[in-house]
Amino acid sequence: MSRDGYGAAVSLPGDPPGGPRAALVWGVGVAVYFVAVIFRTSLGVAGLDAADRFEVNASALSTFSILQLLVYAGMQIPVGLMVDRLGTKKVLTIGVLLFTLGQLGFALSPSYGMALASRALLGCGDAMTFISVLRLGSRWFPARRGPMIAQLAGLVGMAGNLVSTIVIARLLHGVGWTAAFAGSAAAGVVVLVLLLLFLKDHPEGHEAPPSHAGAVFVRRQIAESWREPGTRLGMWVHFTTQFPAMVFLLLWGVPFLVEAQGLSRETAGELLTLVVASNMVVGLVYGQIIARHHAARAPLALGTVAATATLWATTLVYPGDHAPMWLLVTLCTVLGACGPASMIGFDFARPANPPERQGTASGIVNMGGFVASMTTLFAVGVLLDATGDNYRIAFASVFVLEALGVVQILRLTSRTARRERERLVASRVEAVHVPV
């Protein structure tokens, strides 16, 4: 059983059974994603240390995250095609090897250039994880569980972010740069062993239709996925909702809180932890709501954007040198909703595409938020250098991308709803004519 856009139950023949075996296999895939997020976000708590270690300014510091996200975003469609063509296990194996080598290389890099190359390698491996985990969930669990499974995957990812903000930060200031980053790389070896021993692409009897290699296959997969308004809407939802929190957690949160708001590093780390904790709670709530009421997808996404923009604007224009603590706490709590809201993008793309296109469609959606994050990371760094570290002007770039995304969401929502209604009617007609 699944649900249409109005909450009505819809039978989906051939759904995977789920169960304990599915939970085990999916859990291994999510563990890989968990480690990838630890490595991805570890720079967020080390931004000031990296600036000192490599003797770089704000623009050069932002290049670490920009390059990592550029590689990540650029890999999304190729990775989606790889998942559709090669399967989840092979792609995840490649991803683990790459992001582990990237984290280890970052620990040992003696120069800015080598550190950049290491972050690019890490971003390449990281790019192979989340789409693979989404595909794994859709192959092992019934469709009705799709929204909750996706939100749980995002929640586990945020738990990885929590490890960065608490464990990596303490290790960094306790044992030093090299030991902290090299020691964390051992987690990649652990999940690689689990992956090779326990992960399987799909349960018996639920093989995906065979795909074909070649340029024609690639063009068709991308064109047919993009043709669906649900895929495009999913991409813009992801674009608009994810980046405010990603930029904050990935690089600029600690510098903003320490240098612009006058907080200690310990207090800034606690506020980043609040973003992560809020994300985990909101993710569970959003998953439950969407699983029961698909019509709530667009209102939840747009409501999150409105709340985020309101809190950022209030914080940036607050009179005086520093915003009060209650406002910063509220801002970080609201930023926690950005991750769960971005997952709604996949709930638009999933019903719009058949199983053999899920990887490609998810890659298109996932590219949206990381393109927005990369653009904002760059804009904030450039504006900080140009204005003498004026964070109010630098963070105003957030509103430009949010406005662009909202326009696109409003433009595509009605088209997507119409297509979903047409598909629902067609599936009911087909079910009526299926011989018993």
Side-chain angles (χ1 to χ4, degrees):
M1 300 290 285
S2 184
R3 295 181 183 274
D4 62 19
Y6 302 95
V10 180
S11 296
L12 294 177
D15 258 359
R21 177 72 190 283
L24 172 64
V25 173
W26 182 78
V28 172
V30 170
V32 173
Y33 177 56
F34 172 77
V35 174
V37 173
I38 294 175
F39 292 179
R40 178 202 304 170
T41 58
S42 57
L43 182 61
V45 296
L48 297 176
D49 299 88
D52 293 337
R53 179 180 177 87
F54 300 111
E55 298 180 349
V56 294
N57 61 14
S59 296
L61 180 61
S62 67
T63 303
F64 277 123
S65 296
I66 291 168
L67 179 61
Q68 182 180 331
L69 293 184
L70 177 64
V71 173
Y72 188 106
M75 286 289 293
Q76 288 310 291
I77 293 178
V79 167
L81 291 165
M82 288 172 63
V83 170
D84 288 337
R85 179 77 181 99
L86 301 177
T88 301
K89 185 169 186 175
K90 291 180 180 177
V91 176
L92 276 179
T93 301
I94 297 170
V96 172
L97 291 171
L98 291 177
F99 69 59
T100 301
L101 288 174
Q103 185 77 343
L104 182 61
F106 193 60
L108 303 176
S109 294
S111 66
Y112 177 69
M114 289 188 65
L116 275 178
S118 297
R119 296 308 287 187
L121 188 64
L122 192 157
C124 187
D126 182 18
M128 299 182 180
T129 58
F130 188 64
I131 294 175
S132 298
V133 170
L134 288 180
R135 171 65 174 257
L136 202 62
S138 68
R139 300 306 297 161
W140 279 91
F141 291 97
R144 70 178 183 275
R145 298 184 181 272
M148 180 54 67
I149 291 298
Q151 290 289 353
L152 285 175
L155 186 150
V156 173
M158 291 309 296
N161 203 325
L162 193 63
V163 171
S164 290
T165 58
I166 297 177
V167 179
I168 299 294
R170 291 181 179 177
L171 284 175
L172 189 65
H173 300 121
V175 300
W177 178 281
T178 301
F181 283 101
S184 66
V189 178
V190 174
V191 293
L192 177 61
V193 173
L194 294 175
L195 165 64
L196 295 175
L197 289 177
F198 299 111
L199 195 133
K200 187 178 179 182
D201 285 347
H202 50 73
E204 296 294 336
H206 291 273
E207 295 83 358
S211 58
H212 305 283
V216 173
F217 164 76
V218 171
R219 287 196 298 269
R220 185 175 65 248
Q221 287 285 94
I222 296 174
E224 291 180 356
S225 297
W226 183 257
R227 191 175 298 124
E228 290 291 342
T231 304
R232 301 197 303 275
L233 175 58
M235 184 196 73
W236 283 109
V237 167
H238 201 269
F239 176 100
T240 314
T241 54
Q242 187 205 47
F243 80 92
M246 178 67 72
V247 168
F248 196 81
L249 291 170
L250 201 58
L251 183 61
W252 291 121
V254 169
F256 169 74
L257 294 171
V258 172
E259 296 179 351
Q261 299 302 320
L263 303 180
S264 67
R265 290 196 184 194
E266 292 74 17
T267 303
E270 291 171 357
L271 286 175
L272 261 64
T273 303
L274 175 60
V275 177
V276 176
S278 173
N279 183 297
M280 297 172 75
V281 173
V282 174
L284 291 174
V285 175
Y286 278 19
Q288 291 286 352
I289 293 174
I290 296 168
R292 290 169 170 77
H293 308 286
H294 273 197
R297 290 171 297 176
L300 280 177
L302 291 171
T304 302
V305 175
T308 304
T310 299
L311 264 298
W312 261 124
T314 304
T315 302
L316 296 178
V317 303
Y318 195 89
D321 293 334
H322 306 307
M325 181 57 71
W326 66 264
L327 182 54
L328 295 176
V329 168
T330 306
L331 170 66
C332 290
T333 302
V334 171
L335 285 175
C338 292
S342 72
M343 300 300 296
I344 296 172
F346 298 102
D347 292 317
F348 284 111
R350 189 182 302 111
N353 293 275
E356 61 270 21
R357 283 207 314 263
Q358 287 295 321
T360 305
S362 296
I364 293 172
V365 172
N366 208 31
M367 185 173 61
F370 289 92
V371 168
S373 298
M374 177 180 61
T375 303
T376 309
L377 282 167
F378 176 74
V380 170
V382 170
L383 288 171
L384 284 174
D385 285 340
T387 61
D389 292 337
N390 188 323
Y391 281 89
R392 292 186 176 184
I393 294 176
F395 273 101
S397 57
V398 169
F399 305 117
V400 178
L401 272 70
E402 284 189 325
L404 172 63
V406 167
V407 170
Q408 297 298 325
I409 291 171
L410 294 175
R411 184 176 68 85
L412 290 165
T413 297
S414 60
R415 296 187 197 179
T416 301
R418 184 167 61 251
R419 287 279 288 179
E420 289 182 350
R421 288 194 297 268
E422 293 170 354
R423 192 175 291 108
L424 175 62
V425 171
S427 65
R428 286 175 172 171
V429 170
E430 181 180 350
V432 169
H433 291 88
V434 171
V436 179

